[in-house]
Amino acid sequence: MKLKTKLAFAVNASLIGFCVYLAVDEIKKQKHEQEQLALIAKEASEHLEYEKQLQCLALNVYHEARNEGEQGQRAVAWATMNRTVNKHYPDTICGVVYQAVTDAKGNPIRHKCQFSWYCDGKSDTVNDLVAWVKAEYVASDVMAKFGKETDPTGGAIMYHADYVDPDWADDYKREVEIDTHIFYAEIE
């Protein structure tokens, strides 16, 4: 083989090798970028889910206890959270808050919900912004402390206002009264 041909072959082989190197390097960069984007998407999804659950808990605190002191609001939040780890309830906050007997179309039946505000026929619109901000703060704080601090309700999953006497109360262990609610845990 002539020297020029050998030289041309060597140059072409080097160029091909360099192009392959660049292509592999570009593929590695793209893979890294895709992994980073997937991580960002996962973190964004987790944050959105956290925010959704926070809003559900804050709505429940707002509607169930907005006229109570902070301890009463915290107790309602704790009882709601306790249900998420109880086998008889959904495992998400929103699932617990919106648990209801539904009609054939999937709509909650009036007065057949776990929390009365959800299907009492009244508007669920937040009208008191000061109470809403407090409910969001309480919900966020209880979510952060759940499972890490002592539960002021003694593990309660049920509660009612102190001026009513529901039929179900005898089926649970009375734990504590906080503000205007009485809290109950399962009988072991």
Side-chain angles (χ1 to χ4, degrees), residues 18-55:
F18 183 67
C19 288
V20 168
Y21 168 79
L22 289 177
V24 168
D25 190 51
E26 184 62 28
I27 289 169
K28 286 180 182 177
K29 285 180 186 176
Q30 288 177 359
K31 182 179 179 189
H32 179 72
E33 288 173 3
Q34 288 173 344
E35 289 170 351
Q36 291 298 105
L37 289 173
L39 181 62
I40 291 168
K42 181 178 181 241
E43 289 174 358
S45 177
E46 289 171 355
H47 180 73
L48 288 173
E49 183 60 25
Y50 169 82
E51 286 298 321
K52 175 183 169 186
Q53 299 303 316
L54 173 62
Q55 294 306 301

PDB file of all heavy atoms in Angstrom, residues 18-55:
ATOM      1  N   PHE A  18     -12.422   9.953  16.563  1.00  0.00           N
ATOM      2  CA  PHE A  18     -12.720  11.209  17.240  1.00  0.00           C
ATOM      3  C   PHE A  18     -14.217  11.504  17.187  1.00  0.00           C
ATOM      4  O   PHE A  18     -14.813  11.923  18.171  1.00  0.00           O
ATOM      5  CB  PHE A  18     -11.915  12.360  16.620  1.00  0.00           C
ATOM      6  CG  PHE A  18     -12.108  13.664  17.316  1.00  0.00           C
ATOM      7  CD1 PHE A  18     -11.649  13.845  18.614  1.00  0.00           C
ATOM      8  CD2 PHE A  18     -12.759  14.727  16.682  1.00  0.00           C
ATOM      9  CE1 PHE A  18     -11.827  15.051  19.266  1.00  0.00           C
ATOM     10  CE2 PHE A  18     -12.940  15.922  17.327  1.00  0.00           C
ATOM     11  CZ  PHE A  18     -12.477  16.104  18.627  1.00  0.00           C
ATOM     12  N   CYS A  19     -14.834  11.260  16.051  1.00  0.00           N
ATOM     13  CA  CYS A  19     -16.284  11.473  15.904  1.00  0.00           C
ATOM     14  C   CYS A  19     -17.064  10.544  16.838  1.00  0.00           C
ATOM     15  O   CYS A  19     -18.046  10.948  17.458  1.00  0.00           O
ATOM     16  CB  CYS A  19     -16.714  11.256  14.456  1.00  0.00           C
ATOM     17  SG  CYS A  19     -16.170  12.580  13.352  1.00  0.00           S
ATOM     18  N   VAL A  20     -16.615   9.307  16.924  1.00  0.00           N
ATOM     19  CA  VAL A  20     -17.265   8.356  17.841  1.00  0.00           C
ATOM     20  C   VAL A  20     -17.115   8.859  19.275  1.00  0.00           C
ATOM     21  O   VAL A  20     -18.066   8.847  20.061  1.00  0.00           O
ATOM     22  CB  VAL A  20     -16.686   6.935  17.663  1.00  0.00           C
ATOM     23  CG1 VAL A  20     -17.130   6.014  18.798  1.00  0.00           C
ATOM     24  CG2 VAL A  20     -17.087   6.362  16.318  1.00  0.00           C
ATOM     25  N   TYR A  21     -15.916   9.324  19.622  1.00  0.00           N
ATOM     26  CA  TYR A  21     -15.678   9.862  20.955  1.00  0.00           C
ATOM     27  C   TYR A  21     -16.627  11.027  21.239  1.00  0.00           C
ATOM     28  O   TYR A  21     -17.243  11.098  22.302  1.00  0.00           O
ATOM     29  CB  TYR A  21     -14.219  10.310  21.089  1.00  0.00           C
ATOM     30  CG  TYR A  21     -13.963  11.135  22.327  1.00  0.00           C
ATOM     31  CD1 TYR A  21     -13.823  10.522  23.571  1.00  0.00           C
ATOM     32  CD2 TYR A  21     -13.890  12.522  22.245  1.00  0.00           C
ATOM     33  CE1 TYR A  21     -13.608  11.272  24.706  1.00  0.00           C
ATOM     34  CE2 TYR A  21     -13.671  13.280  23.382  1.00  0.00           C
ATOM     35  CZ  TYR A  21     -13.542  12.668  24.614  1.00  0.00           C
ATOM     36  OH  TYR A  21     -13.334  13.404  25.740  1.00  0.00           O
ATOM     37  N   LEU A  22     -16.743  11.960  20.286  1.00  0.00           N
ATOM     38  CA  LEU A  22     -17.645  13.103  20.451  1.00  0.00           C
ATOM     39  C   LEU A  22     -19.095  12.652  20.582  1.00  0.00           C
ATOM     40  O   LEU A  22     -19.853  13.183  21.408  1.00  0.00           O
ATOM     41  CB  LEU A  22     -17.500  14.079  19.269  1.00  0.00           C
ATOM     42  CG  LEU A  22     -16.210  14.879  19.200  1.00  0.00           C
ATOM     43  CD1 LEU A  22     -16.193  15.742  17.943  1.00  0.00           C
ATOM     44  CD2 LEU A  22     -16.043  15.748  20.437  1.00  0.00           C
ATOM     45  N   ALA A  23     -19.492  11.688  19.782  1.00  0.00           N
ATOM     46  CA  ALA A  23     -20.869  11.195  19.828  1.00  0.00           C
ATOM     47  C   ALA A  23     -21.152  10.546  21.181  1.00  0.00           C
ATOM     48  O   ALA A  23     -22.192  10.782  21.790  1.00  0.00           O
ATOM     49  CB  ALA A  23     -21.130  10.212  18.687  1.00  0.00           C
ATOM     50  N   VAL A  24     -20.228   9.726  21.665  1.00  0.00           N
ATOM     51  CA  VAL A  24     -20.400   9.073  22.964  1.00  0.00           C
ATOM     52  C   VAL A  24     -20.450  10.114  24.072  1.00  0.00           C
ATOM     53  O   VAL A  24     -21.276  10.046  24.980  1.00  0.00           O
ATOM     54  CB  VAL A  24     -19.275   8.034  23.212  1.00  0.00           C
ATOM     55  CG1 VAL A  24     -19.262   7.560  24.660  1.00  0.00           C
ATOM     56  CG2 VAL A  24     -19.428   6.857  22.260  1.00  0.00           C
ATOM     57  N   ASP A  25     -19.574  11.099  23.984  1.00  0.00           N
ATOM     58  CA  ASP A  25     -19.558  12.180  24.966  1.00  0.00           C
ATOM     59  C   ASP A  25     -20.893  12.931  24.958  1.00  0.00           C
ATOM     60  O   ASP A  25     -21.445  13.239  26.021  1.00  0.00           O
ATOM     61  CB  ASP A  25     -18.386  13.128  24.686  1.00  0.00           C
ATOM     62  CG  ASP A  25     -18.178  14.115  25.818  1.00  0.00           C
ATOM     63  OD1 ASP A  25     -18.102  13.662  26.984  1.00  0.00           O
ATOM     64  OD2 ASP A  25     -18.116  15.331  25.537  1.00  0.00           O
ATOM     65  N   GLU A  26     -21.419  13.207  23.772  1.00  0.00           N
ATOM     66  CA  GLU A  26     -22.709  13.906  23.647  1.00  0.00           C
ATOM     67  C   GLU A  26     -23.840  13.051  24.211  1.00  0.00           C
ATOM     68  O   GLU A  26     -24.720  13.558  24.904  1.00  0.00           O
ATOM     69  CB  GLU A  26     -22.983  14.261  22.173  1.00  0.00           C
ATOM     70  CG  GLU A  26     -24.240  15.075  21.963  1.00  0.00           C
ATOM     71  CD  GLU A  26     -24.218  16.435  22.658  1.00  0.00           C
ATOM     72  OE1 GLU A  26     -23.125  17.013  22.868  1.00  0.00           O
ATOM     73  OE2 GLU A  26     -25.314  16.913  23.013  1.00  0.00           O
ATOM     74  N   ILE A  27     -23.799  11.767  23.960  1.00  0.00           N
ATOM     75  CA  ILE A  27     -24.821  10.850  24.491  1.00  0.00           C
ATOM     76  C   ILE A  27     -24.767  10.844  26.022  1.00  0.00           C
ATOM     77  O   ILE A  27     -25.807  10.886  26.689  1.00  0.00           O
ATOM     78  CB  ILE A  27     -24.635   9.433  23.907  1.00  0.00           C
ATOM     79  CG1 ILE A  27     -25.022   9.438  22.425  1.00  0.00           C
ATOM     80  CG2 ILE A  27     -25.454   8.409  24.679  1.00  0.00           C
ATOM     81  CD1 ILE A  27     -24.637   8.160  21.687  1.00  0.00           C
ATOM     82  N   LYS A  28     -23.544  10.828  26.574  1.00  0.00           N
ATOM     83  CA  LYS A  28     -23.398  10.866  28.033  1.00  0.00           C
ATOM     84  C   LYS A  28     -23.967  12.165  28.602  1.00  0.00           C
ATOM     85  O   LYS A  28     -24.647  12.162  29.620  1.00  0.00           O
ATOM     86  CB  LYS A  28     -21.928  10.716  28.427  1.00  0.00           C
ATOM     87  CG  LYS A  28     -21.393   9.323  28.269  1.00  0.00           C
ATOM     88  CD  LYS A  28     -19.922   9.272  28.676  1.00  0.00           C
ATOM     89  CE  LYS A  28     -19.321   7.898  28.483  1.00  0.00           C
ATOM     90  NZ  LYS A  28     -17.879   7.873  28.820  1.00  0.00           N
ATOM     91  N   LYS A  29     -23.684  13.275  27.935  1.00  0.00           N
ATOM     92  CA  LYS A  29     -24.212  14.568  28.391  1.00  0.00           C
ATOM     93  C   LYS A  29     -25.736  14.582  28.337  1.00  0.00           C
ATOM     94  O   LYS A  29     -26.405  15.042  29.259  1.00  0.00           O
ATOM     95  CB  LYS A  29     -23.652  15.708  27.521  1.00  0.00           C
ATOM     96  CG  LYS A  29     -22.227  16.054  27.797  1.00  0.00           C
ATOM     97  CD  LYS A  29     -21.770  17.190  26.880  1.00  0.00           C
ATOM     98  CE  LYS A  29     -20.300  17.472  27.023  1.00  0.00           C
ATOM     99  NZ  LYS A  29     -19.847  18.489  26.070  1.00  0.00           N
ATOM    100  N   GLN A  30     -26.292  14.072  27.239  1.00  0.00           N
ATOM    101  CA  GLN A  30     -27.748  14.031  27.099  1.00  0.00           C
ATOM    102  C   GLN A  30     -28.374  13.129  28.156  1.00  0.00           C
ATOM    103  O   GLN A  30     -29.408  13.460  28.730  1.00  0.00           O
ATOM    104  CB  GLN A  30     -28.144  13.564  25.691  1.00  0.00           C
ATOM    105  CG  GLN A  30     -27.882  14.604  24.625  1.00  0.00           C
ATOM    106  CD  GLN A  30     -28.206  14.095  23.228  1.00  0.00           C
ATOM    107  OE1 GLN A  30     -28.615  12.958  23.038  1.00  0.00           O
ATOM    108  NE2 GLN A  30     -28.001  14.954  22.242  1.00  0.00           N
ATOM    109  N   LYS A  31     -27.716  11.991  28.423  1.00  0.00           N
ATOM    110  CA  LYS A  31     -28.226  11.083  29.454  1.00  0.00           C
ATOM    111  C   LYS A  31     -28.209  11.777  30.809  1.00  0.00           C
ATOM    112  O   LYS A  31     -29.173  11.687  31.570  1.00  0.00           O
ATOM    113  CB  LYS A  31     -27.403   9.800  29.494  1.00  0.00           C
ATOM    114  CG  LYS A  31     -27.910   8.801  30.492  1.00  0.00           C
ATOM    115  CD  LYS A  31     -27.102   7.526  30.494  1.00  0.00           C
ATOM    116  CE  LYS A  31     -27.649   6.574  31.552  1.00  0.00           C
ATOM    117  NZ  LYS A  31     -26.819   5.428  31.748  1.00  0.00           N
ATOM    118  N   HIS A  32     -27.131  12.479  31.108  1.00  0.00           N
ATOM    119  CA  HIS A  32     -27.027  13.213  32.369  1.00  0.00           C
ATOM    120  C   HIS A  32     -28.119  14.287  32.452  1.00  0.00           C
ATOM    121  O   HIS A  32     -28.760  14.439  33.498  1.00  0.00           O
ATOM    122  CB  HIS A  32     -25.640  13.841  32.517  1.00  0.00           C
ATOM    123  CG  HIS A  32     -25.476  14.631  33.771  1.00  0.00           C
ATOM    124  ND1 HIS A  32     -25.387  14.035  35.012  1.00  0.00           N
ATOM    125  CD2 HIS A  32     -25.412  15.975  33.987  1.00  0.00           C
ATOM    126  CE1 HIS A  32     -25.281  14.986  35.926  1.00  0.00           C
ATOM    127  NE2 HIS A  32     -25.275  16.157  35.328  1.00  0.00           N
ATOM    128  N   GLU A  33     -28.319  15.014  31.371  1.00  0.00           N
ATOM    129  CA  GLU A  33     -29.370  16.043  31.341  1.00  0.00           C
ATOM    130  C   GLU A  33     -30.750  15.414  31.539  1.00  0.00           C
ATOM    131  O   GLU A  33     -31.585  15.958  32.270  1.00  0.00           O
ATOM    132  CB  GLU A  33     -29.330  16.821  30.026  1.00  0.00           C
ATOM    133  CG  GLU A  33     -28.161  17.759  29.908  1.00  0.00           C
ATOM    134  CD  GLU A  33     -28.043  18.405  28.537  1.00  0.00           C
ATOM    135  OE1 GLU A  33     -28.906  18.168  27.668  1.00  0.00           O
ATOM    136  OE2 GLU A  33     -27.069  19.147  28.336  1.00  0.00           O
ATOM    137  N   GLN A  34     -30.995  14.262  30.918  1.00  0.00           N
ATOM    138  CA  GLN A  34     -32.275  13.569  31.083  1.00  0.00           C
ATOM    139  C   GLN A  34     -32.460  13.111  32.525  1.00  0.00           C
ATOM    140  O   GLN A  34     -33.552  13.228  33.075  1.00  0.00           O
ATOM    141  CB  GLN A  34     -32.374  12.375  30.129  1.00  0.00           C
ATOM    142  CG  GLN A  34     -32.559  12.774  28.682  1.00  0.00           C
ATOM    143  CD  GLN A  34     -32.491  11.577  27.736  1.00  0.00           C
ATOM    144  OE1 GLN A  34     -32.034  10.505  28.090  1.00  0.00           O
ATOM    145  NE2 GLN A  34     -32.952  11.800  26.508  1.00  0.00           N
ATOM    146  N   GLU A  35     -31.391  12.621  33.134  1.00  0.00           N
ATOM    147  CA  GLU A  35     -31.468  12.216  34.539  1.00  0.00           C
ATOM    148  C   GLU A  35     -31.758  13.412  35.426  1.00  0.00           C
ATOM    149  O   GLU A  35     -32.557  13.325  36.360  1.00  0.00           O
ATOM    150  CB  GLU A  35     -30.171  11.532  34.964  1.00  0.00           C
ATOM    151  CG  GLU A  35     -29.983  10.159  34.348  1.00  0.00           C
ATOM    152  CD  GLU A  35     -28.589   9.591  34.570  1.00  0.00           C
ATOM    153  OE1 GLU A  35     -27.687  10.323  35.053  1.00  0.00           O
ATOM    154  OE2 GLU A  35     -28.385   8.404  34.245  1.00  0.00           O
ATOM    155  N   GLN A  36     -31.118  14.536  35.132  1.00  0.00           N
ATOM    156  CA  GLN A  36     -31.364  15.760  35.906  1.00  0.00           C
ATOM    157  C   GLN A  36     -32.806  16.230  35.727  1.00  0.00           C
ATOM    158  O   GLN A  36     -33.455  16.618  36.691  1.00  0.00           O
ATOM    159  CB  GLN A  36     -30.382  16.867  35.495  1.00  0.00           C
ATOM    160  CG  GLN A  36     -28.951  16.600  35.902  1.00  0.00           C
ATOM    161  CD  GLN A  36     -28.793  16.497  37.396  1.00  0.00           C
ATOM    162  OE1 GLN A  36     -28.637  15.407  37.928  1.00  0.00           O
ATOM    163  NE2 GLN A  36     -28.875  17.597  38.091  1.00  0.00           N
ATOM    164  N   LEU A  37     -33.293  16.208  34.494  1.00  0.00           N
ATOM    165  CA  LEU A  37     -34.677  16.608  34.241  1.00  0.00           C
ATOM    166  C   LEU A  37     -35.665  15.674  34.934  1.00  0.00           C
ATOM    167  O   LEU A  37     -36.670  16.120  35.486  1.00  0.00           O
ATOM    168  CB  LEU A  37     -34.962  16.656  32.739  1.00  0.00           C
ATOM    169  CG  LEU A  37     -34.312  17.799  31.971  1.00  0.00           C
ATOM    170  CD1 LEU A  37     -34.525  17.624  30.475  1.00  0.00           C
ATOM    171  CD2 LEU A  37     -34.868  19.142  32.441  1.00  0.00           C
ATOM    172  N   ALA A  38     -35.367  14.384  34.928  1.00  0.00           N
ATOM    173  CA  ALA A  38     -36.233  13.419  35.613  1.00  0.00           C
ATOM    174  C   ALA A  38     -36.242  13.680  37.115  1.00  0.00           C
ATOM    175  O   ALA A  38     -37.302  13.617  37.754  1.00  0.00           O
ATOM    176  CB  ALA A  38     -35.771  11.997  35.323  1.00  0.00           C
ATOM    177  N   LEU A  39     -35.097  14.006  37.671  1.00  0.00           N
ATOM    178  CA  LEU A  39     -35.005  14.322  39.098  1.00  0.00           C
ATOM    179  C   LEU A  39     -35.795  15.588  39.418  1.00  0.00           C
ATOM    180  O   LEU A  39     -36.547  15.629  40.402  1.00  0.00           O
ATOM    181  CB  LEU A  39     -33.546  14.483  39.511  1.00  0.00           C
ATOM    182  CG  LEU A  39     -33.286  14.795  40.979  1.00  0.00           C
ATOM    183  CD1 LEU A  39     -33.791  13.659  41.857  1.00  0.00           C
ATOM    184  CD2 LEU A  39     -31.800  15.010  41.210  1.00  0.00           C
ATOM    185  N   ILE A  40     -35.655  16.601  38.582  1.00  0.00           N
ATOM    186  CA  ILE A  40     -36.404  17.856  38.778  1.00  0.00           C
ATOM    187  C   ILE A  40     -37.904  17.596  38.672  1.00  0.00           C
ATOM    188  O   ILE A  40     -38.688  18.086  39.482  1.00  0.00           O
ATOM    189  CB  ILE A  40     -35.948  18.928  37.765  1.00  0.00           C
ATOM    190  CG1 ILE A  40     -34.520  19.382  38.085  1.00  0.00           C
ATOM    191  CG2 ILE A  40     -36.905  20.113  37.739  1.00  0.00           C
ATOM    192  CD1 ILE A  40     -33.862  20.208  36.995  1.00  0.00           C
ATOM    193  N   ALA A  41     -38.300  16.795  37.697  1.00  0.00           N
ATOM    194  CA  ALA A  41     -39.721  16.471  37.521  1.00  0.00           C
ATOM    195  C   ALA A  41     -40.258  15.711  38.731  1.00  0.00           C
ATOM    196  O   ALA A  41     -41.364  15.974  39.205  1.00  0.00           O
ATOM    197  CB  ALA A  41     -39.926  15.658  36.246  1.00  0.00           C
ATOM    198  N   LYS A  42     -39.452  14.774  39.248  1.00  0.00           N
ATOM    199  CA  LYS A  42     -39.868  14.007  40.432  1.00  0.00           C
ATOM    200  C   LYS A  42     -40.024  14.924  41.632  1.00  0.00           C
ATOM    201  O   LYS A  42     -41.008  14.844  42.372  1.00  0.00           O
ATOM    202  CB  LYS A  42     -38.839  12.917  40.727  1.00  0.00           C
ATOM    203  CG  LYS A  42     -39.189  12.055  41.914  1.00  0.00           C
ATOM    204  CD  LYS A  42     -38.155  10.964  42.137  1.00  0.00           C
ATOM    205  CE  LYS A  42     -38.566  10.107  43.312  1.00  0.00           C
ATOM    206  NZ  LYS A  42     -37.635  10.110  44.392  1.00  0.00           N
ATOM    207  N   GLU A  43     -39.050  15.806  41.846  1.00  0.00           N
ATOM    208  CA  GLU A  43     -39.119  16.740  42.966  1.00  0.00           C
ATOM    209  C   GLU A  43     -40.314  17.680  42.821  1.00  0.00           C
ATOM    210  O   GLU A  43     -41.003  17.976  43.803  1.00  0.00           O
ATOM    211  CB  GLU A  43     -37.819  17.532  43.085  1.00  0.00           C
ATOM    212  CG  GLU A  43     -36.656  16.697  43.578  1.00  0.00           C
ATOM    213  CD  GLU A  43     -35.337  17.442  43.549  1.00  0.00           C
ATOM    214  OE1 GLU A  43     -35.288  18.618  43.110  1.00  0.00           O
ATOM    215  OE2 GLU A  43     -34.327  16.837  43.967  1.00  0.00           O
ATOM    216  N   ALA A  44     -40.577  18.139  41.616  1.00  0.00           N
ATOM    217  CA  ALA A  44     -41.726  19.018  41.378  1.00  0.00           C
ATOM    218  C   ALA A  44     -43.027  18.280  41.647  1.00  0.00           C
ATOM    219  O   ALA A  44     -43.947  18.825  42.278  1.00  0.00           O
ATOM    220  CB  ALA A  44     -41.703  19.551  39.944  1.00  0.00           C
ATOM    221  N   SER A  45     -43.091  17.036  41.204  1.00  0.00           N
ATOM    222  CA  SER A  45     -44.283  16.223  41.432  1.00  0.00           C
ATOM    223  C   SER A  45     -44.514  15.998  42.925  1.00  0.00           C
ATOM    224  O   SER A  45     -45.643  16.115  43.420  1.00  0.00           O
ATOM    225  CB  SER A  45     -44.148  14.883  40.705  1.00  0.00           C
ATOM    226  OG  SER A  45     -45.254  14.076  40.974  1.00  0.00           O
ATOM    227  N   GLU A  46     -43.448  15.679  43.651  1.00  0.00           N
ATOM    228  CA  GLU A  46     -43.559  15.483  45.097  1.00  0.00           C
ATOM    229  C   GLU A  46     -43.983  16.761  45.796  1.00  0.00           C
ATOM    230  O   GLU A  46     -44.797  16.731  46.719  1.00  0.00           O
ATOM    231  CB  GLU A  46     -42.228  14.985  45.665  1.00  0.00           C
ATOM    232  CG  GLU A  46     -41.920  13.555  45.274  1.00  0.00           C
ATOM    233  CD  GLU A  46     -40.503  13.132  45.640  1.00  0.00           C
ATOM    234  OE1 GLU A  46     -39.706  13.972  46.119  1.00  0.00           O
ATOM    235  OE2 GLU A  46     -40.185  11.944  45.433  1.00  0.00           O
ATOM    236  N   HIS A  47     -43.451  17.894  45.359  1.00  0.00           N
ATOM    237  CA  HIS A  47     -43.825  19.180  45.957  1.00  0.00           C
ATOM    238  C   HIS A  47     -45.295  19.489  45.680  1.00  0.00           C
ATOM    239  O   HIS A  47     -46.016  19.939  46.582  1.00  0.00           O
ATOM    240  CB  HIS A  47     -42.931  20.305  45.430  1.00  0.00           C
ATOM    241  CG  HIS A  47     -43.274  21.632  46.016  1.00  0.00           C
ATOM    242  ND1 HIS A  47     -42.976  21.962  47.320  1.00  0.00           N
ATOM    243  CD2 HIS A  47     -43.931  22.696  45.491  1.00  0.00           C
ATOM    244  CE1 HIS A  47     -43.427  23.182  47.571  1.00  0.00           C
ATOM    245  NE2 HIS A  47     -43.998  23.647  46.484  1.00  0.00           N
ATOM    246  N   LEU A  48     -45.734  19.244  44.453  1.00  0.00           N
ATOM    247  CA  LEU A  48     -47.143  19.485  44.121  1.00  0.00           C
ATOM    248  C   LEU A  48     -48.058  18.588  44.947  1.00  0.00           C
ATOM    249  O   LEU A  48     -49.109  19.029  45.421  1.00  0.00           O
ATOM    250  CB  LEU A  48     -47.391  19.265  42.628  1.00  0.00           C
ATOM    251  CG  LEU A  48     -46.819  20.324  41.694  1.00  0.00           C
ATOM    252  CD1 LEU A  48     -46.988  19.889  40.241  1.00  0.00           C
ATOM    253  CD2 LEU A  48     -47.482  21.670  41.935  1.00  0.00           C
ATOM    254  N   GLU A  49     -47.662  17.330  45.132  1.00  0.00           N
ATOM    255  CA  GLU A  49     -48.466  16.412  45.950  1.00  0.00           C
ATOM    256  C   GLU A  49     -48.493  16.873  47.398  1.00  0.00           C
ATOM    257  O   GLU A  49     -49.539  16.840  48.053  1.00  0.00           O
ATOM    258  CB  GLU A  49     -47.930  14.981  45.843  1.00  0.00           C
ATOM    259  CG  GLU A  49     -48.758  13.965  46.596  1.00  0.00           C
ATOM    260  CD  GLU A  49     -50.199  13.853  46.151  1.00  0.00           C
ATOM    261  OE1 GLU A  49     -50.535  14.180  44.985  1.00  0.00           O
ATOM    262  OE2 GLU A  49     -51.034  13.434  46.984  1.00  0.00           O
ATOM    263  N   TYR A  50     -47.355  17.312  47.919  1.00  0.00           N
ATOM    264  CA  TYR A  50     -47.309  17.845  49.287  1.00  0.00           C
ATOM    265  C   TYR A  50     -48.254  19.042  49.413  1.00  0.00           C
ATOM    266  O   TYR A  50     -49.029  19.127  50.370  1.00  0.00           O
ATOM    267  CB  TYR A  50     -45.878  18.249  49.660  1.00  0.00           C
ATOM    268  CG  TYR A  50     -45.831  19.042  50.942  1.00  0.00           C
ATOM    269  CD1 TYR A  50     -45.851  18.399  52.177  1.00  0.00           C
ATOM    270  CD2 TYR A  50     -45.804  20.438  50.914  1.00  0.00           C
ATOM    271  CE1 TYR A  50     -45.837  19.128  53.359  1.00  0.00           C
ATOM    272  CE2 TYR A  50     -45.789  21.168  52.090  1.00  0.00           C
ATOM    273  CZ  TYR A  50     -45.805  20.514  53.311  1.00  0.00           C
ATOM    274  OH  TYR A  50     -45.810  21.240  54.478  1.00  0.00           O
ATOM    275  N   GLU A  51     -48.178  19.953  48.463  1.00  0.00           N
ATOM    276  CA  GLU A  51     -49.044  21.147  48.505  1.00  0.00           C
ATOM    277  C   GLU A  51     -50.518  20.770  48.446  1.00  0.00           C
ATOM    278  O   GLU A  51     -51.348  21.361  49.136  1.00  0.00           O
ATOM    279  CB  GLU A  51     -48.690  22.108  47.367  1.00  0.00           C
ATOM    280  CG  GLU A  51     -47.395  22.854  47.581  1.00  0.00           C
ATOM    281  CD  GLU A  51     -47.403  23.761  48.806  1.00  0.00           C
ATOM    282  OE1 GLU A  51     -48.448  24.401  49.077  1.00  0.00           O
ATOM    283  OE2 GLU A  51     -46.374  23.820  49.494  1.00  0.00           O
ATOM    284  N   LYS A  52     -50.846  19.790  47.631  1.00  0.00           N
ATOM    285  CA  LYS A  52     -52.241  19.322  47.527  1.00  0.00           C
ATOM    286  C   LYS A  52     -52.701  18.775  48.877  1.00  0.00           C
ATOM    287  O   LYS A  52     -53.795  19.119  49.358  1.00  0.00           O
ATOM    288  CB  LYS A  52     -52.335  18.240  46.448  1.00  0.00           C
ATOM    289  CG  LYS A  52     -53.698  17.596  46.324  1.00  0.00           C
ATOM    290  CD  LYS A  52     -53.649  16.486  45.276  1.00  0.00           C
ATOM    291  CE  LYS A  52     -54.907  15.646  45.294  1.00  0.00           C
ATOM    292  NZ  LYS A  52     -54.798  14.493  44.383  1.00  0.00           N
ATOM    293  N   GLN A  53     -51.887  17.926  49.496  1.00  0.00           N
ATOM    294  CA  GLN A  53     -52.247  17.348  50.786  1.00  0.00           C
ATOM    295  C   GLN A  53     -52.330  18.431  51.870  1.00  0.00           C
ATOM    296  O   GLN A  53     -53.227  18.409  52.718  1.00  0.00           O
ATOM    297  CB  GLN A  53     -51.256  16.250  51.185  1.00  0.00           C
ATOM    298  CG  GLN A  53     -51.185  15.080  50.218  1.00  0.00           C
ATOM    299  CD  GLN A  53     -52.508  14.389  49.978  1.00  0.00           C
ATOM    300  OE1 GLN A  53     -53.267  14.130  50.897  1.00  0.00           O
ATOM    301  NE2 GLN A  53     -52.789  14.082  48.715  1.00  0.00           N
ATOM    302  N   LEU A  54     -51.429  19.386  51.814  1.00  0.00           N
ATOM    303  CA  LEU A  54     -51.454  20.510  52.758  1.00  0.00           C
ATOM    304  C   LEU A  54     -52.750  21.292  52.626  1.00  0.00           C
ATOM    305  O   LEU A  54     -53.377  21.644  53.627  1.00  0.00           O
ATOM    306  CB  LEU A  54     -50.243  21.424  52.530  1.00  0.00           C
ATOM    307  CG  LEU A  54     -50.225  22.735  53.334  1.00  0.00           C
ATOM    308  CD1 LEU A  54     -50.185  22.460  54.826  1.00  0.00           C
ATOM    309  CD2 LEU A  54     -49.034  23.583  52.900  1.00  0.00           C
ATOM    310  N   GLN A  55     -53.162  21.568  51.407  1.00  0.00           N
ATOM    311  CA  GLN A  55     -54.399  22.315  51.193  1.00  0.00           C
ATOM    312  C   GLN A  55     -55.615  21.547  51.723  1.00  0.00           C
ATOM    313  O   GLN A  55     -56.524  22.142  52.308  1.00  0.00           O
ATOM    314  CB  GLN A  55     -54.588  22.664  49.712  1.00  0.00           C
ATOM    315  CG  GLN A  55     -53.549  23.628  49.171  1.00  0.00           C
ATOM    316  CD  GLN A  55     -53.439  24.905  49.978  1.00  0.00           C
ATOM    317  OE1 GLN A  55     -54.401  25.636  50.122  1.00  0.00           O
ATOM    318  NE2 GLN A  55     -52.264  25.164  50.534  1.00  0.00           N
TER     319      GLN A  55
END
